[in-house]
Amino acid sequence: MMADTAAQPPKRYSRFGLYVPIFALLVLAIGWSIFWYTSATITGREIGAWIKREAADGRNWTCSDRSVGGYPFRIEITCKEPSFSGPAAGVPVTGKLVGIHLVAQLYNPKLIIGEAEGPFDFVLTQDGSHTLASWKLLQISVRGEPDTLQRASLSAD
C-alpha cells in the first residue's frame, strides 16, 4: 500500500487566486489614471473657454506659463505671471501678479481654493495712475461654475 501512494505525483494547486488581486489593482490604477487625465483635460479646456468668453466681453486674461497637474487626487492649476486688461466696474484697467496656484479636489470640482503670489501691479489706463499691492499670504476660495458663482472669499495677510 505504501508503494502506491509514493508513486503518485504531488497534487498541484492553481496560483490563479494569487494573481487576481494584483490584476484588479492594476486595472483600478489604470482606470483611475484615465479618469484623472480626462478630468484634467476637461479642466484645461474649460479654463480656455472661460478666457475666450471673457475676451468676448472685452476682458483679456493671459498667463505666460499655465500648467495642469496634481495627480492622483486633485487638479492643480499653476499660472506664472497672470495678467488682466479690460474694464473693471466700467473703468479700463490693467493688472499683473507674479503667480497663482489653484487646487480643486476630484470629488468636489466646483470648490476651488488657491493662493496668489504678489505683488499685484494695478494700473488705471485712463489716467495712468499706478498702484502696487503686496502681501505675505493671499488665499482665494470660489464655489460654483464660471457662469454661476455661488460663493467667493478672499483672505490676505
Side-chain angles (χ1 to χ4, degrees), residues 3-157:
D4 288 340
T5 58
Q8 293 179 354
K11 189 173 182 182
R12 301 189 121 241
Y13 294 99
S14 172
R15 293 187 183 182
F16 179 74
L18 188 67
Y19 298 115
V20 169
I22 295 169
F23 180 72
L25 187 62
L26 183 64
V27 168
L28 182 65
I30 290 170
W32 185 260
S33 297
I34 291 169
F35 171 70
W36 182 89
Y37 178 77
T38 303
S39 298
T41 302
I42 290 169
T43 299
R45 197 176 310 137
E46 284 297 315
I47 290 170
W50 178 77
I51 289 172
K52 285 181 182 178
R53 284 193 304 270
E54 286 287 293
D57 291 337
R59 296 180 296 267
N60 297 306
W61 297 85
T62 60
C63 179
S64 65
D65 182 23
R66 183 175 72 196
S67 64
V68 179
Y71 180 80
F73 298 114
R74 59 187 183 179
I75 296 177
E76 295 180 13
I77 301 156
T78 304
C79 179
K80 304 256 193 252
E81 299 178 359
S83 63
F84 169 80
S85 66
V91 179
V93 297
T94 61
K96 186 176 182 178
L97 282 169
V98 172
I100 192 163
H101 182 88
L102 304 171
V103 176
Q105 302 296 332
L106 279 178
Y107 59 84
N108 192 5
K110 292 183 181 182
L111 173 63
I112 299 171
I113 57 174
E115 292 183 358
E117 187 179 344
F120 176 56
D121 190 6
F122 183 77
V123 179
L124 291 170
T125 53
Q126 283 179 332
D127 61 6
S129 61
H130 185 76
T131 304
L132 190 65
S134 62
W135 52 81
K136 290 180 185 177
L137 179 65
L138 180 71
Q139 296 175 319
I140 306 155
S141 174
V142 178
R143 180 179 297 278
E145 296 177 5
D147 295 335
T148 56
L149 186 64
Q150 296 171 351
R151 178 183 59 93
S153 63
L154 181 73
S155 173
D157 182 16

